[in-house]
PDB file of all heavy atoms in Angstrom:
ATOM      1  N   SER U 650      91.541  77.912 110.200  1.00 95.00           N
ATOM      2  CA  SER U 650      91.231  77.608 111.628  1.00 95.00           C
ATOM      3  C   SER U 650      92.378  77.919 112.547  1.00 95.00           C
ATOM      4  O   SER U 650      92.132  78.424 113.704  1.00 95.00           O
ATOM      5  CB  SER U 650      90.781  76.254 111.772  1.00 95.00           C
ATOM      6  OG  SER U 650      89.522  76.062 111.040  1.00 95.00           O
ATOM      7  N   LEU U 651      93.557  77.606 112.137  1.00 95.00           N
ATOM      8  CA  LEU U 651      94.780  77.802 113.005  1.00 95.00           C
ATOM      9  C   LEU U 651      94.942  79.273 113.152  1.00 95.00           C
ATOM     10  O   LEU U 651      95.356  79.650 114.302  1.00 95.00           O
ATOM     11  CB  LEU U 651      95.972  77.114 112.310  1.00 95.00           C
ATOM     12  CG  LEU U 651      95.953  75.527 112.474  1.00 95.00           C
ATOM     13  CD1 LEU U 651      97.257  74.985 111.637  1.00 95.00           C
ATOM     14  CD2 LEU U 651      95.993  75.082 113.749  1.00 95.00           C
ATOM     15  N   VAL U 652      94.854  80.082 111.976  1.00 96.00           N
ATOM     16  CA  VAL U 652      94.933  81.521 112.179  1.00 96.00           C
ATOM     17  C   VAL U 652      93.930  82.119 113.113  1.00 96.00           C
ATOM     18  O   VAL U 652      94.273  82.884 113.930  1.00 96.00           O
ATOM     19  CB  VAL U 652      94.833  82.137 110.739  1.00 96.00           C
ATOM     20  CG1 VAL U 652      94.690  83.768 110.870  1.00 96.00           C
ATOM     21  CG2 VAL U 652      95.944  81.651 109.851  1.00 96.00           C
ATOM     22  N   LEU U 653      92.647  81.501 112.980  1.00 97.00           N
ATOM     23  CA  LEU U 653      91.697  82.109 113.887  1.00 97.00           C
ATOM     24  C   LEU U 653      91.960  81.653 115.396  1.00 97.00           C
ATOM     25  O   LEU U 653      91.858  82.525 116.229  1.00 97.00           O
ATOM     26  CB  LEU U 653      90.263  81.441 113.552  1.00 97.00           C
ATOM     27  CG  LEU U 653      89.126  81.783 114.508  1.00 97.00           C
ATOM     28  CD1 LEU U 653      88.878  83.302 114.562  1.00 97.00           C
ATOM     29  CD2 LEU U 653      87.849  81.038 114.010  1.00 97.00           C
ATOM     30  N   THR U 654      92.313  80.488 115.703  1.00 96.00           N
ATOM     31  CA  THR U 654      92.761  80.043 117.000  1.00 96.00           C
ATOM     32  C   THR U 654      93.895  80.901 117.462  1.00 96.00           C
ATOM     33  O   THR U 654      93.899  81.279 118.687  1.00 96.00           O
ATOM     34  CB  THR U 654      93.138  78.526 116.984  1.00 96.00           C
ATOM     35  OG1 THR U 654      91.995  77.777 116.593  1.00 96.00           O
ATOM     36  CG2 THR U 654      93.585  78.027 118.340  1.00 96.00           C
ATOM     37  N   SER U 655      94.876  81.143 116.730  1.00 97.00           N
ATOM     38  CA  SER U 655      95.962  81.954 116.981  1.00 97.00           C
ATOM     39  C   SER U 655      95.487  83.494 117.435  1.00 97.00           C
ATOM     40  O   SER U 655      95.941  84.055 118.511  1.00 97.00           O
ATOM     41  CB  SER U 655      96.980  82.184 115.953  1.00 97.00           C
ATOM     42  OG  SER U 655      98.126  82.960 116.318  1.00 97.00           O
ATOM     43  N   LYS U 656      94.594  84.016 116.651  1.00 97.00           N
ATOM     44  CA  LYS U 656      94.016  85.440 116.911  1.00 97.00           C
ATOM     45  C   LYS U 656      93.249  85.366 118.298  1.00 97.00           C
ATOM     46  O   LYS U 656      93.437  86.317 118.953  1.00 97.00           O
ATOM     47  CB  LYS U 656      93.177  85.847 115.829  1.00 97.00           C
ATOM     48  CG  LYS U 656      93.945  86.282 114.585  1.00 97.00           C
ATOM     49  CD  LYS U 656      92.999  86.715 113.409  1.00 97.00           C
ATOM     50  CE  LYS U 656      93.818  87.187 112.183  1.00 97.00           C
ATOM     51  NZ  LYS U 656      93.008  87.511 111.098  1.00 97.00           N
ATOM     52  N   ILE U 657      92.429  84.408 118.510  1.00 98.00           N
ATOM     53  CA  ILE U 657      91.755  84.140 119.651  1.00 98.00           C
ATOM     54  C   ILE U 657      92.605  84.121 120.920  1.00 98.00           C
ATOM     55  O   ILE U 657      92.389  84.802 121.828  1.00 98.00           O
ATOM     56  CB  ILE U 657      90.664  82.993 119.578  1.00 98.00           C
ATOM     57  CG1 ILE U 657      89.508  83.334 118.532  1.00 98.00           C
ATOM     58  CG2 ILE U 657      90.057  82.749 120.956  1.00 98.00           C
ATOM     59  CD1 ILE U 657      88.763  82.222 118.275  1.00 98.00           C
ATOM     60  N   SER U 658      93.776  83.245 120.745  1.00 97.00           N
ATOM     61  CA  SER U 658      94.598  83.225 121.835  1.00 97.00           C
ATOM     62  C   SER U 658      95.288  84.406 122.083  1.00 97.00           C
ATOM     63  O   SER U 658      95.368  84.638 123.322  1.00 97.00           O
ATOM     64  CB  SER U 658      95.615  82.033 121.399  1.00 97.00           C
ATOM     65  OG  SER U 658      95.090  80.802 121.342  1.00 97.00           O
ATOM     66  N   ALA U 659      95.716  85.165 121.107  1.00 97.00           N
ATOM     67  CA  ALA U 659      96.260  86.427 121.409  1.00 97.00           C
ATOM     68  C   ALA U 659      95.342  87.353 122.088  1.00 97.00           C
ATOM     69  O   ALA U 659      95.716  88.171 123.021  1.00 97.00           O
ATOM     70  CB  ALA U 659      96.851  87.035 120.075  1.00 97.00           C
ATOM     71  N   LEU U 660      94.070  87.384 121.704  1.00 97.00           N
ATOM     72  CA  LEU U 660      93.132  88.261 122.339  1.00 97.00           C
ATOM     73  C   LEU U 660      92.882  87.835 123.805  1.00 97.00           C
ATOM     74  O   LEU U 660      92.872  88.718 124.686  1.00 97.00           O
ATOM     75  CB  LEU U 660      91.797  88.294 121.669  1.00 97.00           C
ATOM     76  CG  LEU U 660      91.670  88.976 120.298  1.00 97.00           C
ATOM     77  CD1 LEU U 660      90.457  88.546 119.552  1.00 97.00           C
ATOM     78  CD2 LEU U 660      91.700  90.360 120.438  1.00 97.00           C
ATOM     79  N   CYS U 661      92.777  86.559 123.983  1.00 97.00           N
ATOM     80  CA  CYS U 661      92.611  85.953 125.431  1.00 97.00           C
ATOM     81  C   CYS U 661      93.807  86.267 126.350  1.00 97.00           C
ATOM     82  O   CYS U 661      93.636  86.600 127.394  1.00 97.00           O
ATOM     83  CB  CYS U 661      92.223  84.554 125.384  1.00 97.00           C
ATOM     84  SG  CYS U 661      90.687  84.193 124.590  1.00 97.00           S
ATOM     85  N   ASN U 662      94.941  86.081 125.698  1.00 96.00           N
ATOM     86  CA  ASN U 662      96.193  86.465 126.400  1.00 96.00           C
ATOM     87  C   ASN U 662      96.293  87.979 126.861  1.00 96.00           C
ATOM     88  O   ASN U 662      96.736  88.188 128.028  1.00 96.00           O
ATOM     89  CB  ASN U 662      97.497  85.922 125.640  1.00 96.00           C
ATOM     90  CG  ASN U 662      98.750  86.054 126.507  1.00 96.00           C
ATOM     91  OD1 ASN U 662      98.806  85.533 127.587  1.00 96.00           O
ATOM     92  ND2 ASN U 662      99.784  86.619 125.906  1.00 96.00           N
TER      93      ASN U 662
END
Side-chain angles (χ1 to χ4, degrees):
S650 291
L651 290 173
V652 170
L653 174 62
T654 299
S655 179
K656 288 179 179 181
I657 291 171
S658 293
L660 288 167
C661 293
N662 189 47

